[in-house]
Amino acid sequence: MDIYLHFKDQAAEAITFYEDVFKTKPAQIMTFGQMPHDDNTPVDDSIKDLVLHANLQINDTNVMISDSPESLTSPRVIGNNVALVFNAKTAGEALEIFQQLAENGTVLLPLEKTFWAELYGMVKDRYGVNWYINFL
């Protein structure tokens, strides 16, 4: 299963943030301006630099990311119906990632010991994405 995250004009910024937090390889990014030219459907200059599609590998998960300009899609609603679960390899990694995601975000459940995990916490990052950080 892959994950697809849609942003409103912040995809490039979010990609850089996630690359740093999860220490990933740089994402493969295509902008709207890089799409093949089509005279019947020209790309508006205001969206040429926005992310059409990107692939970011976080551990073994492919996270696809794009901007969703309202001129091309229905309005994007940030909701609580999707959360990404990151299974840390060490307690230190769990703490570091949780703290970085919480910066300018909201801690929903502090990172702490639970009956099922050594550490578990929930955070909504600065882009409104819910993350569950797990260290078993």
Side-chain angles (χ1 to χ4, degrees):
M1 178 184 306
D2 293 334
I3 298 163
Y4 214 114
L5 298 176
H6 297 274
F7 293 89
K8 182 179 179 182
D9 306 347
Q10 294 178 304
E13 181 182 325
I15 291 165
T16 299
F17 177 68
Y18 296 141
E19 286 171 344
D20 183 52
V21 169
F22 296 104
K23 298 171 181 44
T24 68
K25 295 177 184 174
Q28 298 174 1
I29 299 172
M30 175 185 259
T31 65
F32 281 92
Q34 293 172 315
M35 288 191 318
H37 179 73
D38 180 355
D39 287 329
N40 295 324
T41 341
V43 175
D44 188 272
D45 285 342
S46 66
I47 67 168
K48 282 189 176 184
D49 293 331
L50 296 180
V51 175
L52 170 67
H53 181 77
N55 284 315
L56 182 66
Q57 289 293 314
I58 299 177
N59 282 351
D60 295 329
T61 301
N62 182 42
V63 180
M64 296 174 285
I65 298 173
S66 73
D67 284 306
S68 296
E70 288 185 17
S71 62
L72 299 177
T73 63
S74 56
R76 186 187 55 84
V77 177
I78 295 175
N80 61 2
N81 60 328
V82 175
L84 304 181
V85 179
F86 181 79
N87 294 302
K89 294 182 175 107
T90 67
E93 180 184 44
L95 180 61
E96 179 182 355
I97 286 173
F98 188 86
Q99 289 173 336
Q100 288 180 350
L101 291 170
E103 189 176 319
N104 297 316
T106 304
V107 173
L108 304 172
L109 179 70
L111 188 66
E112 57 192 10
K113 185 172 178 52
T114 66
F115 69 89
W116 72 86
E118 287 297 313
L119 290 173
Y120 177 79
M122 297 167 39
V123 61
K124 181 182 286 190
D125 71 22
R126 64 182 79 171
Y127 302 104
V129 176
N130 293 311
W131 294 88
Y132 300 168
I133 307 302
N134 228 5
F135 172 63
L136 301 177

